[in-house]
Amino acid sequence: MRTFVLFASLRNHLSRRFHSQNKNQNQYRLLSSRFLSSSSPPSMASSNSSPAVTIDTINPKVKTCEYAVRGEIVILAQKLQEELQAKPGSHPFDEIIYCNIGNPQSLGQQPITFFREVGLSLHCATIQAILDRSESQALFSADSIERAWQILDQIPGGATGAYSHSQGIKGLRDTIAAGIEARDGFPADPNDIFLTDGASPAVHSMMTLLIRSEKDGILCPIPQYPLYSASIALHGGTLGWGLEIAELKEAVGRCRRPRVLAEENQRDIVNFCKQEGLVLLADEVYQENVYVPEKKFNSFKKGFPIYGVTMGSVEKEEVTWRSLGLLPDIREQIYKMASVNLCSNISGQILASLVMSPPKVGDESYESYCAERDGILSSLARRAKTLEDALNSLEGITCNKAEGAMYLFPRVRLPEKAIKAAEAAKCAPDAFYCRRLLNATGIVVVPGSGFGQVPGTWHFRCTILPQEDKIPAIVSRLTDFHKSFMDEYRG
Amino acid sequence: MRTFVLFASLRNHLSRRFHSQNKNQNQYRLLSSRFLSSSSPPSMASSNSSPAVTIDTINPKVKTCEYAVRGEIVILAQKLQEELQAKPGSHPFDEIIYCNIGNPQSLGQQPITFFREVGLSLHCATIQAILDRSESQALFSADSIERAWQILDQIPGGATGAYSHSQGIKGLRDTIAAGIEARDGFPADPNDIFLTDGASPAVHSMMTLLIRSEKDGILCPIPQYPLYSASIALHGGTLGWGLEIAELKEAVGRCRRPRVLAEENQRDIVNFCKQEGLVLLADEVYQENVYVPEKKFNSFKKGFPIYGVTMGSVEKEEVTWRSLGLLPDIREQIYKMASVNLCSNISGQILASLVMSPPKVGDESYESYCAERDGILSSLARRAKTLEDALNSLEGITCNKAEGAMYLFPRVRLPEKAIKAAEAAKCAPDAFYCRRLLNATGIVVVPGSGFGQVPGTWHFRCTILPQEDKIPAIVSRLTDFHKSFMDEYRG
């Protein structure tokens, strides 16, 4: 059957004209011959009852694409959650704890008040000058209201509900560039900044730009984030995760298992890219949460102005996407792709500018801002340590120290009998373990196979994001499950 | 040179393990052989100075993709605007009037107060229960505050800053489905609704799903919206805009130039798709603004539950994307693609639910909501009529009646001398006309060639969105320009 689509666009039915008949006939022959030469069974071509598109006639790249962090295990979790709501007590746990994805606020983390206040003040300013009223002054801090007016001045016509420049509002990009400059001590060009609706559209754009065929390879250190393998599959490129590890093993050899990259390791990676003629995509969405006092975040741009793209994120709500010294004609092509989607959401653009210009010493909100930020980061560090220690105390589990971000990637040495049982259940041993864990405890973690792991080794990825008061219960549920699992399958 | 990318991901450097050396060597040979077989000149492969990617090594589909509504003419307009700011009086006009894109609020249209109030109340509720304070009660209408609490209950954990379900928050999709059911009088399944960040990601997803190669064709009635031609080019499909016009000419033959589609025309289109085995993508982003009293909006879903996808939009800020009876396994694939981007922005999801459940009779905000909505629509109708009459009064210009949406697509019969001048300037005659118009008046319109037009005919697309008090000035500037243009080139 033909995958042949008709757009009935209300947009343009509203005032349209027609091609001449002759022209159409030519087009028709041209198109139909194309379809005759396609692999679709002609029998179904004009069937009345058959669906217009089936699983066999869609883009095969979509079928091969997998996205572990929202894959089978999460769909199972959603099913269990519905069962719990419909029939409380129907499972040995009373809630599902989602440790599959870095989604802090879904697990109770409070947003930073200052950012919210600015956003609120700003939007108040857009309806009947509500912001001028005494009630508003009483509701929001003075500096957030002042900041709201500043930002409103940067938005053409103060139109927060309008499409913006394709790269994002210029004034906001100026603020972001200034913040980057202050951070790195090197100039940042606002025209090199593209604001997108999260990291995913930025990654998709780069894959669209760079991948011509499966001959084009994308190298990801493993464990890689499934967004990369998924988008590489969707765009038909080749994911390489062997080569660069061997190369980088030497490149970053000074530290046996790099976690937070030291500056000299970054330099080695940059040189490696220069020598090999590689584009470097630096995913720098976690800049704030580095827990080890002796290490700090260094952007790749800092001191390494090479041909590459770096992505930063603000509470994972908006991504600042800076092209590092890309050729002007390449930037034009990126601009064109950005234009097709018109622009990213304005609230996210505003938030990005706030994150790169937080309250300063002396501002009314400075103390509370620092207190909230540091409170979140120190709590994350404590949670990471607790979970890491608990995991390392379990039979056959080894877990690296988390020096930043919000994830653990423990390795689990599974007994032969468990691996056999997984084979019998027709799934990967780590997926088998994760499913059993979910069914027994309601804790959702992601099988390591979705991230890439050394063949014959098994891991799972687990966020450290449940609120602190829940961690002890999670630890004991995890411990009890693992003990009984190992007892069941120990040879 | 090789397009070979290295991801240095802070996400996963944070706790990673390595492949074994042997494995890497195998991978390495595999990958490198691929690159040797690629067309890139090996000489540059390991050059230190050469850029990692050039215009010749990017995906050619990106180069062929064009997006007229933000193309050359808009880039020129932005340049002129900067010149005006830097040097007022440097051009024969004092401002740029953007009629290139349907962006109402950028031209001064006020947002609907109720929607803003609910959004504000909602976010107030998320910081320190500000919403409970008397000041908030004084700021916002009672029903918007009540609605805010209702919506907050629908958001898991009340976490407005968290990622949601990949399709959008279930409770909000329930509200939207109920609104669609009330509108169409037919059941709507919330599980068939995908909320996206605007129409573009929805169109991209459908193109990704449906296009396997250039053998797959997408039929667009012309003038088509450049989003379609652009995304079809990016995804490597074939745009057909001859065939279906000829076919549909018979199909929708009863009305010679369909603008707002009458119900019987829709039935014909649906039957046409069934017979030909086509997927129907109905872009229904303009549902409210139909100006002719004797016609009203009918969704394609209403009475035509076929295999297809329909897109609705809320003030063009968020798109509700409903798959009409798609096979479950196809919906699974769409879900997977949605998951890769995690979710659309929550504010937009909330707005979508509000638009499908506006204030009802008796609610405090009902009167003001209707007054604002009707005020906008009647003003749009007046502006459309004024511009349409003005255009039709000009030599060689004929313009269809706008029965809805926010665009005019006048045909301009250009003198031979003008066409020759355009050839000399190496651009399409309609682009030549639009550029001259911009340089003389500051008015930005889009050449018809970006939308598709009968060969040998020339059009431009113009929005009706400048505020009413500006319309007279625009009409006289347009008229003066056109007269002098025709005088200059009349044979």
Side-chain angles (χ1 to χ4, degrees), chain B residues 270-290:
Chain B
V270 169
N271 291 333
F272 175 72
C273 292
K274 282 181 178 169
Q275 282 153 20
E276 300 294 324
L278 307 184
V279 175
L280 175 63
L281 297 183
D283 180 338
E284 299 180 337
V285 301
Y286 300 116
Q287 311 197 352
E288 292 259 313
N289 42 341
V290 173

PDB file of all heavy atoms in Angstrom, chain B residues 270-290:
ATOM      1  N   VAL B 270     -12.755  13.204   2.014  1.00  0.00           N
ATOM      2  CA  VAL B 270     -12.587  11.996   2.822  1.00  0.00           C
ATOM      3  C   VAL B 270     -12.779  10.754   1.949  1.00  0.00           C
ATOM      4  O   VAL B 270     -11.969   9.818   1.998  1.00  0.00           O
ATOM      5  CB  VAL B 270     -13.581  11.996   4.001  1.00  0.00           C
ATOM      6  CG1 VAL B 270     -13.601  10.636   4.673  1.00  0.00           C
ATOM      7  CG2 VAL B 270     -13.196  13.072   4.992  1.00  0.00           C
ATOM      8  N   ASN B 271     -13.810  10.767   1.097  1.00  0.00           N
ATOM      9  CA  ASN B 271     -14.046   9.610   0.225  1.00  0.00           C
ATOM     10  C   ASN B 271     -12.876   9.422  -0.733  1.00  0.00           C
ATOM     11  O   ASN B 271     -12.427   8.299  -0.977  1.00  0.00           O
ATOM     12  CB  ASN B 271     -15.353   9.790  -0.552  1.00  0.00           C
ATOM     13  CG  ASN B 271     -16.551   9.691   0.383  1.00  0.00           C
ATOM     14  OD1 ASN B 271     -16.470   9.037   1.424  1.00  0.00           O
ATOM     15  ND2 ASN B 271     -17.624  10.384   0.038  1.00  0.00           N
ATOM     16  N   PHE B 272     -12.385  10.546  -1.253  1.00  0.00           N
ATOM     17  CA  PHE B 272     -11.217  10.516  -2.151  1.00  0.00           C
ATOM     18  C   PHE B 272     -10.048   9.813  -1.454  1.00  0.00           C
ATOM     19  O   PHE B 272      -9.424   8.912  -2.014  1.00  0.00           O
ATOM     20  CB  PHE B 272     -10.857  11.966  -2.513  1.00  0.00           C
ATOM     21  CG  PHE B 272      -9.625  12.129  -3.334  1.00  0.00           C
ATOM     22  CD1 PHE B 272      -9.600  11.769  -4.675  1.00  0.00           C
ATOM     23  CD2 PHE B 272      -8.477  12.684  -2.779  1.00  0.00           C
ATOM     24  CE1 PHE B 272      -8.462  11.944  -5.441  1.00  0.00           C
ATOM     25  CE2 PHE B 272      -7.332  12.859  -3.540  1.00  0.00           C
ATOM     26  CZ  PHE B 272      -7.330  12.486  -4.872  1.00  0.00           C
ATOM     27  N   CYS B 273      -9.800  10.162  -0.185  1.00  0.00           N
ATOM     28  CA  CYS B 273      -8.697   9.544   0.565  1.00  0.00           C
ATOM     29  C   CYS B 273      -8.951   8.055   0.769  1.00  0.00           C
ATOM     30  O   CYS B 273      -8.055   7.228   0.602  1.00  0.00           O
ATOM     31  CB  CYS B 273      -8.537  10.219   1.923  1.00  0.00           C
ATOM     32  SG  CYS B 273      -7.965  11.908   1.803  1.00  0.00           S
ATOM     33  N   LYS B 274     -10.207   7.698   1.105  1.00  0.00           N
ATOM     34  CA  LYS B 274     -10.527   6.287   1.329  1.00  0.00           C
ATOM     35  C   LYS B 274     -10.262   5.493   0.056  1.00  0.00           C
ATOM     36  O   LYS B 274      -9.588   4.465   0.070  1.00  0.00           O
ATOM     37  CB  LYS B 274     -11.988   6.131   1.748  1.00  0.00           C
ATOM     38  CG  LYS B 274     -12.260   6.476   3.202  1.00  0.00           C
ATOM     39  CD  LYS B 274     -13.736   6.251   3.522  1.00  0.00           C
ATOM     40  CE  LYS B 274     -14.043   6.527   4.986  1.00  0.00           C
ATOM     41  NZ  LYS B 274     -15.499   6.572   5.226  1.00  0.00           N
ATOM     42  N   GLN B 275     -10.777   6.018  -1.077  1.00  0.00           N
ATOM     43  CA  GLN B 275     -10.626   5.282  -2.339  1.00  0.00           C
ATOM     44  C   GLN B 275      -9.159   5.112  -2.701  1.00  0.00           C
ATOM     45  O   GLN B 275      -8.719   4.050  -3.120  1.00  0.00           O
ATOM     46  CB  GLN B 275     -11.341   6.030  -3.468  1.00  0.00           C
ATOM     47  CG  GLN B 275     -12.852   5.843  -3.450  1.00  0.00           C
ATOM     48  CD  GLN B 275     -13.567   7.019  -4.091  1.00  0.00           C
ATOM     49  OE1 GLN B 275     -12.961   7.774  -4.851  1.00  0.00           O
ATOM     50  NE2 GLN B 275     -14.839   7.180  -3.767  1.00  0.00           N
ATOM     51  N   GLU B 276      -8.366   6.171  -2.498  1.00  0.00           N
ATOM     52  CA  GLU B 276      -6.967   6.144  -2.929  1.00  0.00           C
ATOM     53  C   GLU B 276      -6.052   5.554  -1.857  1.00  0.00           C
ATOM     54  O   GLU B 276      -4.851   5.420  -2.078  1.00  0.00           O
ATOM     55  CB  GLU B 276      -6.504   7.558  -3.294  1.00  0.00           C
ATOM     56  CG  GLU B 276      -7.307   8.185  -4.427  1.00  0.00           C
ATOM     57  CD  GLU B 276      -7.094   7.444  -5.745  1.00  0.00           C
ATOM     58  OE1 GLU B 276      -5.962   6.979  -5.980  1.00  0.00           O
ATOM     59  OE2 GLU B 276      -8.065   7.297  -6.510  1.00  0.00           O
ATOM     60  N   GLY B 277      -6.613   5.264  -0.683  1.00  0.00           N
ATOM     61  CA  GLY B 277      -5.777   4.735   0.400  1.00  0.00           C
ATOM     62  C   GLY B 277      -4.791   5.767   0.903  1.00  0.00           C
ATOM     63  O   GLY B 277      -3.600   5.497   1.078  1.00  0.00           O
ATOM     64  N   LEU B 278      -5.269   7.001   1.099  1.00  0.00           N
ATOM     65  CA  LEU B 278      -4.404   8.087   1.564  1.00  0.00           C
ATOM     66  C   LEU B 278      -4.614   8.344   3.048  1.00  0.00           C
ATOM     67  O   LEU B 278      -5.703   8.149   3.573  1.00  0.00           O
ATOM     68  CB  LEU B 278      -4.708   9.384   0.801  1.00  0.00           C
ATOM     69  CG  LEU B 278      -4.696   9.358  -0.722  1.00  0.00           C
ATOM     70  CD1 LEU B 278      -4.929  10.752  -1.252  1.00  0.00           C
ATOM     71  CD2 LEU B 278      -3.386   8.788  -1.233  1.00  0.00           C
ATOM     72  N   VAL B 279      -3.551   8.779   3.721  1.00  0.00           N
ATOM     73  CA  VAL B 279      -3.694   9.312   5.068  1.00  0.00           C
ATOM     74  C   VAL B 279      -4.091  10.772   4.919  1.00  0.00           C
ATOM     75  O   VAL B 279      -3.496  11.498   4.119  1.00  0.00           O
ATOM     76  CB  VAL B 279      -2.357   9.229   5.842  1.00  0.00           C
ATOM     77  CG1 VAL B 279      -2.495   9.903   7.207  1.00  0.00           C
ATOM     78  CG2 VAL B 279      -1.924   7.783   6.001  1.00  0.00           C
ATOM     79  N   LEU B 280      -5.081  11.205   5.653  1.00  0.00           N
ATOM     80  CA  LEU B 280      -5.507  12.603   5.590  1.00  0.00           C
ATOM     81  C   LEU B 280      -4.951  13.352   6.794  1.00  0.00           C
ATOM     82  O   LEU B 280      -5.193  12.975   7.937  1.00  0.00           O
ATOM     83  CB  LEU B 280      -7.034  12.689   5.582  1.00  0.00           C
ATOM     84  CG  LEU B 280      -7.629  14.092   5.639  1.00  0.00           C
ATOM     85  CD1 LEU B 280      -7.238  14.905   4.416  1.00  0.00           C
ATOM     86  CD2 LEU B 280      -9.141  14.032   5.774  1.00  0.00           C
ATOM     87  N   LEU B 281      -4.142  14.363   6.535  1.00  0.00           N
ATOM     88  CA  LEU B 281      -3.667  15.234   7.616  1.00  0.00           C
ATOM     89  C   LEU B 281      -4.455  16.532   7.524  1.00  0.00           C
ATOM     90  O   LEU B 281      -4.282  17.295   6.574  1.00  0.00           O
ATOM     91  CB  LEU B 281      -2.178  15.523   7.469  1.00  0.00           C
ATOM     92  CG  LEU B 281      -1.217  14.341   7.562  1.00  0.00           C
ATOM     93  CD1 LEU B 281       0.222  14.825   7.467  1.00  0.00           C
ATOM     94  CD2 LEU B 281      -1.408  13.594   8.867  1.00  0.00           C
ATOM     95  N   ALA B 282      -5.328  16.753   8.478  1.00  0.00           N
ATOM     96  CA  ALA B 282      -6.161  17.956   8.445  1.00  0.00           C
ATOM     97  C   ALA B 282      -5.581  19.007   9.386  1.00  0.00           C
ATOM     98  O   ALA B 282      -5.548  18.803  10.593  1.00  0.00           O
ATOM     99  CB  ALA B 282      -7.589  17.604   8.848  1.00  0.00           C
ATOM    100  N   ASP B 283      -5.093  20.073   8.808  1.00  0.00           N
ATOM    101  CA  ASP B 283      -4.511  21.164   9.597  1.00  0.00           C
ATOM    102  C   ASP B 283      -5.651  22.120   9.943  1.00  0.00           C
ATOM    103  O   ASP B 283      -6.081  22.914   9.124  1.00  0.00           O
ATOM    104  CB  ASP B 283      -3.432  21.858   8.766  1.00  0.00           C
ATOM    105  CG  ASP B 283      -2.770  23.005   9.524  1.00  0.00           C
ATOM    106  OD1 ASP B 283      -3.386  23.523  10.477  1.00  0.00           O
ATOM    107  OD2 ASP B 283      -1.650  23.366   9.158  1.00  0.00           O
ATOM    108  N   GLU B 284      -6.137  21.991  11.167  1.00  0.00           N
ATOM    109  CA  GLU B 284      -7.328  22.776  11.556  1.00  0.00           C
ATOM    110  C   GLU B 284      -6.975  23.782  12.637  1.00  0.00           C
ATOM    111  O   GLU B 284      -7.674  23.920  13.645  1.00  0.00           O
ATOM    112  CB  GLU B 284      -8.437  21.809  12.011  1.00  0.00           C
ATOM    113  CG  GLU B 284      -8.860  20.868  10.898  1.00  0.00           C
ATOM    114  CD  GLU B 284      -9.967  19.885  11.285  1.00  0.00           C
ATOM    115  OE1 GLU B 284     -10.132  19.599  12.480  1.00  0.00           O
ATOM    116  OE2 GLU B 284     -10.658  19.422  10.356  1.00  0.00           O
ATOM    117  N   VAL B 285      -5.866  24.506  12.405  1.00  0.00           N
ATOM    118  CA  VAL B 285      -5.418  25.431  13.449  1.00  0.00           C
ATOM    119  C   VAL B 285      -6.294  26.676  13.543  1.00  0.00           C
ATOM    120  O   VAL B 285      -6.277  27.357  14.544  1.00  0.00           O
ATOM    121  CB  VAL B 285      -3.944  25.854  13.268  1.00  0.00           C
ATOM    122  CG1 VAL B 285      -3.032  24.644  13.296  1.00  0.00           C
ATOM    123  CG2 VAL B 285      -3.752  26.632  11.987  1.00  0.00           C
ATOM    124  N   TYR B 286      -7.034  26.988  12.484  1.00  0.00           N
ATOM    125  CA  TYR B 286      -7.946  28.141  12.588  1.00  0.00           C
ATOM    126  C   TYR B 286      -9.377  27.645  12.667  1.00  0.00           C
ATOM    127  O   TYR B 286      -9.975  27.302  11.665  1.00  0.00           O
ATOM    128  CB  TYR B 286      -7.778  29.086  11.402  1.00  0.00           C
ATOM    129  CG  TYR B 286      -6.380  29.626  11.295  1.00  0.00           C
ATOM    130  CD1 TYR B 286      -5.575  29.333  10.206  1.00  0.00           C
ATOM    131  CD2 TYR B 286      -5.854  30.409  12.311  1.00  0.00           C
ATOM    132  CE1 TYR B 286      -4.283  29.821  10.123  1.00  0.00           C
ATOM    133  CE2 TYR B 286      -4.566  30.899  12.236  1.00  0.00           C
ATOM    134  CZ  TYR B 286      -3.784  30.600  11.138  1.00  0.00           C
ATOM    135  OH  TYR B 286      -2.507  31.071  11.068  1.00  0.00           O
ATOM    136  N   GLN B 287      -9.915  27.567  13.869  1.00  0.00           N
ATOM    137  CA  GLN B 287     -11.260  27.037  14.033  1.00  0.00           C
ATOM    138  C   GLN B 287     -12.224  28.159  14.392  1.00  0.00           C
ATOM    139  O   GLN B 287     -13.387  28.132  14.017  1.00  0.00           O
ATOM    140  CB  GLN B 287     -11.264  25.978  15.134  1.00  0.00           C
ATOM    141  CG  GLN B 287     -10.157  24.954  14.942  1.00  0.00           C
ATOM    142  CD  GLN B 287     -10.372  23.691  15.735  1.00  0.00           C
ATOM    143  OE1 GLN B 287     -11.274  23.600  16.554  1.00  0.00           O
ATOM    144  NE2 GLN B 287      -9.553  22.689  15.485  1.00  0.00           N
ATOM    145  N   GLU B 288     -11.718  29.161  15.116  1.00  0.00           N
ATOM    146  CA  GLU B 288     -12.593  30.212  15.634  1.00  0.00           C
ATOM    147  C   GLU B 288     -12.835  31.299  14.594  1.00  0.00           C
ATOM    148  O   GLU B 288     -13.934  31.802  14.448  1.00  0.00           O
ATOM    149  CB  GLU B 288     -11.946  30.840  16.874  1.00  0.00           C
ATOM    150  CG  GLU B 288     -11.874  29.901  18.056  1.00  0.00           C
ATOM    151  CD  GLU B 288     -12.968  30.182  19.081  1.00  0.00           C
ATOM    152  OE1 GLU B 288     -13.164  31.348  19.440  1.00  0.00           O
ATOM    153  OE2 GLU B 288     -13.650  29.217  19.481  1.00  0.00           O
ATOM    154  N   ASN B 289     -11.772  31.650  13.866  1.00  0.00           N
ATOM    155  CA  ASN B 289     -11.925  32.838  13.034  1.00  0.00           C
ATOM    156  C   ASN B 289     -12.428  32.524  11.624  1.00  0.00           C
ATOM    157  O   ASN B 289     -11.684  32.497  10.653  1.00  0.00           O
ATOM    158  CB  ASN B 289     -10.632  33.666  12.975  1.00  0.00           C
ATOM    159  CG  ASN B 289      -9.390  32.813  12.833  1.00  0.00           C
ATOM    160  OD1 ASN B 289      -9.405  31.622  13.106  1.00  0.00           O
ATOM    161  ND2 ASN B 289      -8.323  33.417  12.376  1.00  0.00           N
ATOM    162  N   VAL B 290     -13.705  32.225  11.554  1.00  0.00           N
ATOM    163  CA  VAL B 290     -14.431  32.126  10.291  1.00  0.00           C
ATOM    164  C   VAL B 290     -15.378  33.318  10.272  1.00  0.00           C
ATOM    165  O   VAL B 290     -16.143  33.524  11.205  1.00  0.00           O
ATOM    166  CB  VAL B 290     -15.224  30.800  10.205  1.00  0.00           C
ATOM    167  CG1 VAL B 290     -16.105  30.779   8.958  1.00  0.00           C
ATOM    168  CG2 VAL B 290     -14.266  29.619  10.204  1.00  0.00           C
TER     169      VAL B 290
END
